[in-house]
Every structure is written in C-alpha cells, then in structure tokens.
C-alpha cells in the first residue's frame, strides 16, 4: 500500500534540475509533497488532487497523472536550500478518510 | 501565532513504563494524526482522529493508545507493550481533505 518513490537518493550541483517520482498501485484521491530537513518536522510543499493538474511553487512544481497513479516533483535550478528528504503522501478513494500513506522518501543533496 | 505544539522535545522511557506525548493545536482543525519515524524511514501512521471523541487505528497502532476529548488536544501514550519505542514521533493536524497536514516539531523518544 505504501507508495514507491524513485530515485532513493540524488546528488546535484547548484543550478541542476531533478525529478522525483511517486507511484501507487491503488487509485488515488490526492498526492501531498513534503520536504524534511534532518531532525526537523516535514514542511508542506504542495498538494495535487485527482484531475491531472500541475502546480508550481517558485522553482518547484509537480504533476499528477491519474491514469498512471503517479506524481512527479520537479526541482528546477536547484539551490543549496533544496537539500533534504522529500516525501510524497498519498490519499486513496474519495478522500474522506483523511489518511495519508507516505513513501519511503528521496534524499536530495545539492552541492555548491 | 497558530500552530501545533508537541512536548516534550526529548523523552526517555524506562522499561515497563508508559509515557505520554502531548500534542496541542490552536488551528481549529478537526483532524489530527500521530506518526512514527525511524532513522532513514518514512512516516508511518499510528492513530488518527477526524472528530472529537472518535479515532481510528493506523498501520502500526499496537502498543500505543490515544484519546481525543478536546478538539485541540490529541495525546499519544506509548505503553509498555511497545517493545521498540525508540523513534521520532510527529503529530499533525488538517482542516479539510483538500488541505495539507501541518506538523509539530516532534518528540524524540529513547529507552533508558
């Protein structure tokens, strides 16, 4: 039931781009993306509801492919502050459970 | 400022002892959640509550108990039945199903 994230880890130089994927074998109502720095609480990035919409937040955007039950997070022109672990949280069905299942995380390291 | 307050930040448990982690929110959110995070792992759902006086088990509820007597409070008790309680515990709340979860700063629990 846990969504699968790929890759598990990625190392970038400042200014490079990255894509993190989140796949589920079940029909999804929504996908949430969070970033967590070591020892801190996860910070919300964006939420995508079923319907295949794409959202953007500064140089970070995401898409949700309802047919494939897959979401992708796009990090453009990465900055040092983008380093951390990225988690997707998925919500199934009609969304009335309020229950998120998180992936295992993707560790991103941005080097100068 | 509105937010979620978890206390204590660090907690040590003796063998055979029950300990209670506090979670308070002043966001007026209906839903509240407890997650457990182990080193290098994602977030696993322990319990969640969508309304006062009601809560449901998550994926790893064994050895834990909760109560939801007030809208703003959702304490988690780690009982002696939980044999491996060492982890980072995160509390979250959410307003509606199309809204993100907001996290507290977490409690780090260790065994003495």
């Amino acid at each position: 039931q846990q969504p699968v994230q790929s890759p598990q880890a990625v190392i970038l130089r400042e200014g490079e781009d990255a894509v993190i994927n989140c796949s589920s074998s079940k029909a999804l109502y929504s996908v949430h993306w969070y970033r967590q720095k070591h020892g801190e609480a996860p910070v919300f990035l964006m939420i995508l509801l079923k319907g295949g919409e794409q959202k953007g937040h500064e140089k970070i955007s995401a898409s949700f492919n309802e047919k494939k039950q897959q979401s992708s997070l796009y990090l453009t022109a990465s900055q040092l502050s983008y380093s951390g672990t990225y988690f997707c949280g998925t919500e199934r069905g009609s969304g009335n459970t309020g229950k998120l299942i998180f992936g295992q995380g993707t560790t991103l390291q941005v080097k100068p | 400022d509105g937010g979620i307050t978890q206390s204590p930040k660090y907690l040590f448990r003796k063998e055979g002892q029950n300990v209670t982690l506090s979670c308070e929110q002043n966001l007026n959110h209906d839903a509240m959640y407890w997650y457990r995070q182990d080193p290098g792992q994602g977030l696993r759902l322990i319990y969640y509550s969508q309304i006062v006086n009601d809560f449901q088990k998550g994926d790893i509820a064994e050895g834990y108990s909760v109560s939801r007597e007030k809208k703003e409070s959702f304490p988690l008790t780690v009982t002696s039945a939980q044999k491996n309680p060492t982890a980072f515990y995160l509390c979250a709340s959410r307003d509606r199903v199309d809204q993100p979860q907001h996290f507290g700063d977490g409690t780090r629990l260790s065994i003495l």
Side-chain angles (χ1 to χ4, degrees), chain B residues 9-71:
Chain B
K9 194 175 177 71
Y10 299 95
L11 187 58
F12 298 91
R13 194 192 89 168
K14 294 180 181 178
E15 202 166 327
Q17 185 183 41
N18 291 355
V19 292
T20 297
L21 285 60
S22 171
C23 178
E24 303 278 331
Q25 55 101 356
N26 60 4
L27 298 167
N28 200 33
H29 288 173
D30 285 319
M32 297 187 74
Y33 308 82
W34 274 106
Y35 294 93
R36 169 180 171 142
Q37 187 174 33
D38 293 281
Q41 301 293 315
L43 286 73
R44 291 186 291 168
L45 184 64
I46 305 173
Y47 269 99
Y48 64 108
S49 168
Q50 292 184 277
I51 56 172
V52 175
N53 292 322
D54 188 44
F55 49 83
Q56 288 79 40
K57 292 182 179 180
D59 299 319
I60 55 166
E62 186 173 348
Y64 301 97
S65 66
V66 293
S67 63
R68 185 84 189 276
E69 297 176 1
K70 298 185 295 182
K71 187 174 185 177

Side-chain angles (χ1 to χ4, degrees), chain B residues 76-107:
Chain B
L76 173 75
T77 297
V78 183
T79 74
S80 56
Q82 173 49 249
K83 298 305 179 187
N84 184 22
T86 298
F88 188 45
Y89 291 86
L90 287 158
C91 178
S93 71
R94 185 162 83 163
D95 186 14
R96 301 192 310 268
V97 293
D98 59 345
Q99 295 296 308
Q101 291 189 8
H102 298 265
F103 286 86
D105 289 334
T107 292

